[in-house]
Amino acid sequence: MPYLPAPYTEEQEQWFRFLLENAQPAKFYASAISGMVSEELAPYFAGDITAEEAAKKLDNRVQLYLDERAR
């Protein structure tokens, strides 16, 4: 089979290589969990619930989130 030139331009190839070299995993878990932390800590800082109650709610919520993502 003879060699066939790439069907891409030099510029497209450079852009593709740039994307490969600079790709990073998304941080979906961190941003979603960060939002949960903010929401669950608000009542604690307002004096409506104890630290233990806030921690328990947050733990349950984060665990549910992670369990749903593992399916």
Side-chain angles (χ1 to χ4, degrees), residues 16-30:
F16 179 72
R17 289 184 188 280
F18 171 81
L19 291 174
L20 284 178
E21 292 169 3
N22 294 287
Q24 296 181 11
K27 299 177 182 170
F28 295 112
Y29 291 140

Side-chain angles (χ1 to χ4, degrees), residues 1-70:
M1 175 180 262
Y3 171 77
L4 298 174
Y8 307 106
T9 66
E10 178 80 24
E11 182 181 356
Q12 288 172 319
E13 185 176 340
Q14 288 175 354
W15 180 244
F16 179 72
R17 289 184 188 280
F18 171 81
L19 291 174
L20 284 178
E21 292 169 3
N22 294 287
Q24 296 181 11
K27 299 177 182 170
F28 295 112
Y29 291 140
S31 64
I33 293 172
S34 175
M36 290 179 208
V37 170
S38 296
E39 291 172 12
E40 296 301 337
L41 287 182
Y44 166 72
F45 287 122
D48 298 331
I49 62 175
T50 67
E52 290 80 15
E53 291 171 316
K56 186 174 181 178
K57 287 182 176 185
L58 183 58
D59 180 59
N60 289 337
R61 192 167 167 193
V62 169
Q63 190 60 56
L64 177 63
Y65 175 79
L66 293 174
D67 289 346
E68 289 174 350
R69 298 304 171 275

